[in-house]
Amino acid sequence: MNRSHLAGDAAGSHNAIVDVAGVSVGYVDIRTPDLHTGLTAVVPYPASVEERKLFIGRFSIDGGDAMSGLGVAEDFGTFSSPIVLAPTPVVGRVYESLIRHSLGRDTGLSTVAGWPPVVVGIDDTAVNDPALVRKVLTHAHADEALASAGNAVPTGNAGVGGGLQAFGYKGGIGTASRRAGEYALGVLTAVNGGRELHWAGRVLPVGEGAGGPQTFAAVVATDAPLIPRQLERLAGRTALGLARTGLWNPHTREGLVLAFSTTGIIQEPDAPVRMVGEERLYSLFAAGAAAAEAAVVDALLAAETVGDLKAMPQTDWLKEEDG
């Protein structure tokens, strides 16, 4: 697939969330004749780092609070766990898997070594029977998703994207990145929902498969030193990019945008908290919205037909041809 038209002049080398140094993405596909699902994990720092916590902020849309670890994220504005996007019926099981993962790092389950786990539930019932998802997905699948984390970001049907629908067509996982001065910013989005796709000033009507769950989630990573309040604002501005595409719309049931900084906390005793000034935030806000918008279209371009849920037609204005 040609993703060059989604990059813009300020995209990173991968045009993906992994353009933020230290961030990686893992996944696992679960495929049977009756099941197209999986897990997608955003790993915020290398597995070799024993202790690390990062600042985080969130923006919830229409009550989109379907995440674990919310209390610590709200009270302290920090997290130290991978962020796993999982089908809603197995959020609890993946949570348990991440506890096992954290205990392997620190038997005390400290907030600098993976506690509390961060799991975001995605409703993939447009394609999958929730009872079957719960029966088939195991702890071993979560382990595999984490172990596979690297700089190649699988999009479209990969991971949790296997069962997603969007704009009446097959949805999935999309990613993009942008530069904001010396800082990098990347977005990974579970594209699930939407009624009309808005792109490049045009509108594509809803497909025949409309009517699935109108829910979505996005993860924003940046190496700009931001504190939790600034990250909350960045998450909200990033959501505007989702709204520009029509993913966030009046029919949305719920959505969630998480934003984290890899540099806001220095892991040294008595080191000061770092933060950018207000005058520099606008370029980050614009980068977040632009990357989110591109990530939605990236997911649609990469998605493949599953059953009766067709891949979106690659119209000339949606996809530029090579050359």
Side-chain angles (χ1 to χ4, degrees):
M1 180 193 65
N2 175 21
R3 300 178 70 233
S4 61
H5 62 296
L6 301 177
D9 295 333
S13 59
H14 296 90
N15 191 22
I17 194 171
V18 295
D19 285 322
V20 179
V23 177
S24 58
V25 174
Y27 78 107
V28 62
D29 288 335
I30 302 171
R31 302 290 185 266
T32 73
D34 300 313
L35 201 60
H36 295 266
T37 190
L39 302 172
T40 300
V42 177
V43 182
Y45 52 84
S48 59
V49 177
E50 293 184 0
E51 294 186 355
R52 185 74 179 274
K53 64 180 177 180
L54 306 174
F55 282 140
I56 190 170
R58 72 180 177 102
F59 181 78
S60 295
I61 299 163
D62 295 327
D65 295 323
M67 63 172 282
S68 63
L70 181 60
V72 171
E74 292 286 278
D75 292 344
F76 299 102
T78 66
F79 79 114
S80 63
S81 164
I83 299 171
V84 180
L85 307 181
T88 303
V90 294
V91 165
R93 185 167 300 156
V94 176
Y95 183 87
E96 293 173 357
S97 297
L98 289 182
I99 289 178
R100 293 168 57 233
H101 177 74
S102 299
L103 285 170
R105 299 174 57 196
D106 180 355
T107 56
L109 285 179
S110 68
T111 57
V112 297
W115 176 261
V118 179
V119 186
V120 179
I122 307 294
D123 188 342
D124 67 353
T125 55
V127 172
N128 297 305
D129 176 355
L132 185 58
V133 171
R134 188 174 184 277
K135 178 181 179 180
V136 171
L137 195 146
T138 67
H139 293 302
H141 289 121
D143 295 340
E144 184 178 345
L146 296 178
S148 71
N151 286 332
V153 182
T155 56
N157 292 18
V160 76
L164 306 188
Q165 55 77 40
F167 305 100
Y169 298 99
K170 183 67 183 67
I173 295 293
T175 189
S177 70
R178 292 294 183 270
R179 299 290 307 182
E182 71 266 43
Y183 301 123
L185 179 147
V187 176
L188 182 140
T189 302
V191 180
N192 193 46
R195 291 296 181 92
E196 289 183 336
L197 175 66
H198 296 248
W199 179 253
R202 306 186 189 184
V203 179
L204 184 67
V206 66
E208 295 180 359
Q214 300 292 309
T215 68
F216 62 83
V219 179
V220 187
T222 182
D223 58 9
L226 302 180
I227 62 174
R229 177 56 183 152
Q230 292 174 321
L231 288 164
E232 290 175 6
R233 294 166 63 193
L234 175 60
R237 301 315 193 277
T238 299
L240 296 179
L242 304 178
R244 284 204 299 250
T245 67
L247 183 63
W248 176 19
N249 65 80
H251 302 282
T252 297
R253 193 177 80 207
E254 62 179 14
L256 177 68
V257 182
L258 297 176
F260 68 88
S261 166
T262 61
T263 62
I265 301 176
I266 305 300
Q267 304 301 124
E268 298 174 1
D270 302 319
V273 170
R274 300 174 59 206
M275 60 183 291
V276 302
E278 286 291 311
E279 70 282 356
R280 306 187 68 182
L281 286 177
Y282 177 78
S283 62
L284 288 165
F285 293 162
E293 194 171 11
V296 170
V297 178
D298 179 46
L300 295 170
L301 290 174
E304 299 175 355
T305 294
V306 171
D308 294 333
L309 199 56
K310 305 299 182 183
M312 178 173 283
Q314 305 298 297
T315 59
D316 292 340
W317 61 269
L318 185 62
K319 177 182 179 182
E320 292 182 1
E321 299 297 333
D322 291 325

